[in-house]
Amino acid sequence: VFENNATMMALSNFESGIFVNVNNQFLETLGYKRDEILGKTSKDLDLFEDYHEREKALELFSREGKLENFEVMIKTRHGKVLNCLFSLHKIQIQTYNFLLTTGIDITRLKKAEEKVDYLYRQQKLLADVSQLLNRSPDFKLVMDEVLGYLGKHTGVSRVYIFEDDIQGTITHNTYEWCNKGISSQKFELQNIKYETIPSWKELLTNEGRVFSTNITQLPLDLTHILEPQGVKSILVYPLMIQGQIIG
């Protein structure tokens, strides 16, 4: 029953935490061989993403005499992090006390829940923005609040809107939202000539966006203007009117 259970199971010494047996599901899920586990502790193997979670679990177990469905993050042999529900039971074999740990991998379930939650929050964001824009006849008064909604939803440092002049040769930062602890750059980003950043419009026109998780990989003309702002990563979309980029 232990060896062939579809749930991860491990038997460890109650005092030392040394593994004395693990089942096939445990080995298969975490990617270890049996001889790599036995005789070692979870700390030796660095199984927990946060070892304090194990200590908290044992504390609850000692206080209540049992522990069921305690959520922890554990790591496979190759460093992949899994969401697991752990249960602990004290068992006695002859005169020895052991800790029987059972674990269920709920990573896929958690990801599905997170996706549903994200989609819900996204729909709520769109509804909130729509209501905000319809509430006030003065578009400019609510734009900073709209950018705040977007920034908080995406968890970024800044959200900007830039608007070009009529000729499309100069751009200005007209709206800005900054997260907590992030300094404003709005007044530093006025009268920027596109001729000084030729790659900007080139990327917007050819690729439909400017995107980089590491700005040092962008063309130098863009890196030089972004680095002084403390920007590490960036996503920019063009504002279009009748096929023309206006900001």
Side-chain angles (χ1 to χ4, degrees):
V1 171
F2 178 85
E3 289 295 346
N4 298 303
N5 203 298
T7 301
M8 287 186 287
M9 303 183 83
L11 205 61
S12 56
N13 182 282
F14 192 78
E15 284 78 23
S16 67
I18 292 174
F19 288 113
V20 296
N21 203 1
V22 293
N23 72 348
N24 294 329
Q25 188 64 46
F26 183 100
L27 298 171
E28 184 180 326
T29 302
L30 300 184
Y32 286 95
K33 294 179 180 177
R34 196 176 301 275
D35 59 5
E36 294 174 323
I37 296 286
L38 302 188
K40 296 179 181 176
T41 67
S42 58
K43 193 168 189 177
D44 294 334
L45 297 164
D46 194 25
L47 286 182
F48 288 86
E49 175 74 356
D50 181 358
Y51 193 73
H52 290 102
E53 287 186 344
R54 181 184 184 276
E55 294 174 338
K56 183 180 178 182
L58 287 176
E59 184 184 329
L60 289 169
F61 175 74
S62 290
R63 190 163 66 235
E64 300 177 13
K66 65 176 182 178
L67 185 70
E68 294 181 351
N69 298 327
F70 183 81
E71 190 172 334
V72 295
M73 309 282 281
I74 61 172
K75 293 184 287 187
T76 69
R77 182 183 182 184
H78 304 293
K80 182 180 179 182
V81 178
L82 304 177
N83 293 83
C84 292
L85 287 180
F86 269 22
S87 297
L88 301 178
H89 301 276
K90 183 179 180 180
I91 65 172
Q92 189 174 45
I93 300 175
Q94 296 178 355
T95 59
Y96 299 99
N97 291 321
F98 295 95
L99 194 64
L100 177 65
T101 304
T102 59
I104 301 172
D105 180 5
I106 58 168
T107 307
R108 287 186 180 180
L109 177 62
K110 289 291 288 185
K111 286 183 177 178
E113 288 177 348
E114 287 168 4
K115 186 174 182 181
V116 169
D117 180 60
Y118 180 80
L119 291 173
Y120 166 76
R121 287 186 288 108
Q122 191 176 63
Q123 291 301 315
K124 185 177 183 303
L125 168 72
L126 294 173
D128 289 344
V129 167
S130 178
Q131 287 183 11
L132 193 60
L133 291 173
N134 287 324
R135 192 177 69 199
S136 172
D138 192 334
F139 179 79
K140 293 182 178 180
L141 283 177
V142 298
M143 276 314 297
D144 287 339
E145 199 171 346
V146 168
L147 296 192
Y149 282 178
L150 293 172
K152 290 169 186 174
H153 177 74
T154 52
V156 295
S157 298
R158 297 188 185 101
V159 184
Y160 294 136
I161 286 182
F162 282 81
E163 294 182 57
D164 298 350
D165 65 355
I166 295 174
Q167 292 76 27
T169 58
I170 295 174
T171 193
H172 314 271
N173 183 191
T174 50
Y175 299 98
E176 176 196 54
W177 172 85
C178 294
N179 214 325
K180 289 181 180 178
I182 303 298
S183 59
S184 172
Q185 296 290 322
K186 183 175 180 179
F187 297 106
E188 305 296 327
L189 300 173
Q190 303 299 320
N191 301 309
I192 298 173
K193 295 180 180 179
Y194 277 118
E195 64 183 22
T196 64
I197 46 170
S199 302
W200 193 267
K201 276 198 174 179
E202 185 179 326
L203 287 171
L204 288 180
T205 303
N206 297 335
E207 299 185 18
R209 64 179 184 173
V210 177
F211 172 67
S212 179
T213 57
N214 180 356
I215 64 158
T216 60
Q217 296 172 356
L218 289 171
L220 282 177
D221 57 318
L222 302 189
T223 304
H224 288 159
I225 198 170
L226 294 171
E227 276 186 331
Q229 302 173 57
V231 175
K232 304 295 183 186
S233 58
I234 191 166
L235 173 62
V236 182
Y237 281 108
L239 298 176
M240 309 287 289
I241 292 181
Q242 296 179 346
Q244 296 296 313
I245 297 175
I246 57 94

